[in-house]
């Protein structure tokens, strides 16, 4: 009788353990599906070009999905503002000076520079201007990610090519 009780207890414990593993696997797959669904829902391009907080969030989410090949501790994102006001034009000019300095000094291989903003044309123009004087091969092993419109991609790719950087494009 004791042996029967011990065997029944052991069988019950195994059944419960296997059931828990099965539920845990289902919960993990359900959580993963919910997470990917939430990500897909949050990747909506903001409609207000002046909402820099929404654009920053959007570009961060896009960037987080395109970090393959980066070995640095973090990417270097550049949110290029859109608009023609004097304040926005001045901000883009300061940003261009900063990016041009980075490109001319060179970047350590394994880093990722990401560019995006409400206006693909403004973003493309900034990248083209920043890379126009890049030394050939100076950015070998660096990834340049352009988040914009397909119509602007070829010009950006041509501007980045001489530096030796790996060019990536993501359709906004």
């Amino acid at each position: 009788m004791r042996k029967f009780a011990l065997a029944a207890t052991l069988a019950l414990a195994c059944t419960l353990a296997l059931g828990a593993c099965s539920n845990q696997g289902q919960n993990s797959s359900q959580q993963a599906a919910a997470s990917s669904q939430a990500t897909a829902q949050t990747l909506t391009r903001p409609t207000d070009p002046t909402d820099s907080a929404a654009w920053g969030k959007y570009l961060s989410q896009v960037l987080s999905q395109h970090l393959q090949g980066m070995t640095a501790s973090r990417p270097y994102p550049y949110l290029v503002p859109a608009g023609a006001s004097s304040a926005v034009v001045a901000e883009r000019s300061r940003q261009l000076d900063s990016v041009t300095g980075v490109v001319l000094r060179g970047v350590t291989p394994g880093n990722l520079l990401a560019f995006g903003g409400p206006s693909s044309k403004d973003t493309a123009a900034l990248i083209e201007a920043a890379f126009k004087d890049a030394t050939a091969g100076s950015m070998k092993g660096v990834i340049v990610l352009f988040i914009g419109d397909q119509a602007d991609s070829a010009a950006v790719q041509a501007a980045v090519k001489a530096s030796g950087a790996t060019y990536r494009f993501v359709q906004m």
Side-chain angles (χ1 to χ4, degrees), residues 42-171:
T42 57
L43 287 178
T44 303
R45 182 178 179 173
T47 55
D48 182 2
T50 61
D51 188 354
S52 59
W55 276 98
K57 231 184 238 186
Y58 168 74
L59 293 172
S60 291
Q61 291 171 342
V62 172
L63 175 59
S64 70
Q65 296 177 356
H66 296 89
L67 298 174
Q68 304 87 350
M70 184 185 86
T71 58
S73 59
R74 65 181 184 88
Y76 292 93
Y78 294 94
L79 173 59
V80 180
S85 72
S86 59
V88 171
V89 171
E91 184 179 346
R92 271 198 313 266
S93 178
R94 286 188 301 273
Q95 194 172 40
L96 174 60
D97 289 342
S98 173
V99 175
T100 301
V102 167
V103 170
L104 291 177
R105 283 189 304 274
V107 178
T108 309
N111 277 294
L112 185 144
L113 306 175
F115 299 89
S119 169
S120 179
K121 288 195 182 308
D122 289 341
T123 304
L126 182 130
I127 298 169
E128 290 174 57
F131 278 82
K132 74 177 180 174
D133 294 324
T135 307
S138 63
M139 296 191 56
K140 188 173 176 95
V142 175
I143 301 165
V144 174
L145 177 67
F146 171 52
I147 304 166
D149 295 331
Q150 185 68 47
D152 301 314
S153 179
V156 173
Q157 184 175 18
V160 170
K161 185 177 182 179
S163 71
T166 300
Y167 174 74
R168 289 194 193 151
F169 169 73
V170 176
Q171 176 69 42

Side-chain angles (χ1 to χ4, degrees), residues 4-20:
F4 178 73
L6 180 60
T9 304
L10 188 58
L12 180 62
C14 287
T15 302
L16 291 175
L18 289 175

